[in-house]
Amino acid sequence: MLAPMAAPPTAATPSSAAPTDPLGVAGSDASLRRFLHGLPGVDQVGVEARAAGLGTRSVKTTAKAYALDLAVRMVDLTTLEGADTPGKVRALSAKAVRPDPTDASCPAAAAVCVYPDLVATAKQALGSSGVKVASVATAFPSGRAALDLKLADVANAVADGADEIDMVIDRGAFLVGDYRRVLDEIVAVREVCARPGGHDAHLKVILETGELATYDNVRRASWLAMTGGADFIKTSTGKVQPAATLPVTLVMLEAVRDFRRATGRMIGVKPAGGIRTTKDAIKYLVTVNEVAGPDWLDPDWFRFGASSLLNDLLLQRQKMRTGHYSGPDHVTLD
Ligand SMILES: O=C[C@H](O)COP(=O)(O)O
């Protein structure tokens, strides 16, 4: 059961001046490695069994209605295709602001997520709606470019008004144990996210867990990203399989929970890629509640990176409201 389903306690607004290395573990390459390799190992069987168990919880009636609206409010409505056009981004932005034009009670999505060259278009389309513009950057999705090019990519998106930057880590460096290089890039990107007078772009750090091979690596990469000053840790680009999974997200939720206990600082989590049904979204919300706690049941602290999940959430909302499915042609196609 997803409980409590009352409004979660008010959490602090994400910090725009997150300290890097709040635990003082990154003073030298050796101390950083010692810290990351000293994290407890993940019990693979235990994590997968727990995720499977949480995925069977039943959420009905009032709790389901609450969960549906919460999930809509958590969607980063995403288009990351080479064929994206300003017209598509404008249509997606309109949908994010008013997902169901037949129902004024339907909340807006959290953000629209686009490539850097479409940030200005999304920004203009979203206006003062409160829906954020998120932009992938740092040579997304591979991250294979020189650092100055990655930083220029981020700077362009920030200059065009991106509220949030979704950067990828250097998985090659991570997998050979060059944690310093990964950390330094995160810190450098974070600096480029800063704006004079505050209003920094929030930084989501994509681990690309499908390339990290082990849950131990997912845990290490989560702590490394948080040490570098991430506001959010995000599972995947959506371009690599497997993308988001419930067990991987569970490991990341444990990391943000434990990081908060250790530092007092709250970090958000964003599973992305392959989350398409209401049923799956509810499994994630149950897991958030059980693993990290109800403080994370808020769009400031949990997002879904998804291109088509919103449509299924809208169909389920309509079913709850009217008693019948309107059919997929009732919602706009993404
Ligand atoms: O960040 C989100 C993904 O790129 C979208 O993935 P999806 O099309 O599988 O929902």
Side-chain angles (χ1 to χ4, degrees), residues 75-186:
V75 169
D76 281 6
L77 192 57
T78 300
T79 186
L80 297 171
E81 303 300 331
D84 285 344
T85 61
K88 183 178 181 189
V89 168
R90 278 193 282 271
L92 207 66
S93 300
K95 181 168 179 169
V97 173
R98 202 163 171 217
D100 184 349
T102 69
D103 179 4
S105 73
C106 183
V112 164
C113 183
V114 295
Y115 275 112
D117 62 315
L118 288 162
V119 165
T121 302
K123 194 75 189 165
Q124 188 183 35
L126 292 167
S128 58
S129 65
V131 176
K132 311 278 190 214
V133 178
S135 182
V136 295
T138 63
F140 178 97
S142 71
R144 300 248 65 89
L147 180 59
D148 57 343
L149 294 179
K150 295 185 195 182
L151 296 181
D153 199 22
V154 176
N156 282 337
V158 172
D160 281 350
D163 301 293
E164 303 174 353
I165 295 294
D166 291 27
M167 72 168 283
V168 290
I169 64 165
D170 183 334
R171 286 87 77 189
F174 180 88
L175 289 168
V176 298
D178 190 352
Y179 303 128
R180 171 66 50 188
R181 185 183 178 92
V182 180
L183 185 77
D184 286 351
E185 277 201 7
I186 296 169

Side-chain angles (χ1 to χ4, degrees), residues 2 17 25 28 39 46 71 74 106-107 109 126 157 177 191 211 240 243-244 246 259 263 266 275 278 282 316 328:
L2 189 60
V25 296
S28 70
L39 292 167
M74 289 173 163
C106 183
L126 292 167
E191 280 166 12
E211 292 183 338
V240 165
L246 204 53
F259 188 81
T263 66
M266 216 167 142
I275 305 170
T278 298
I282 288 177
Q316 297 300 327

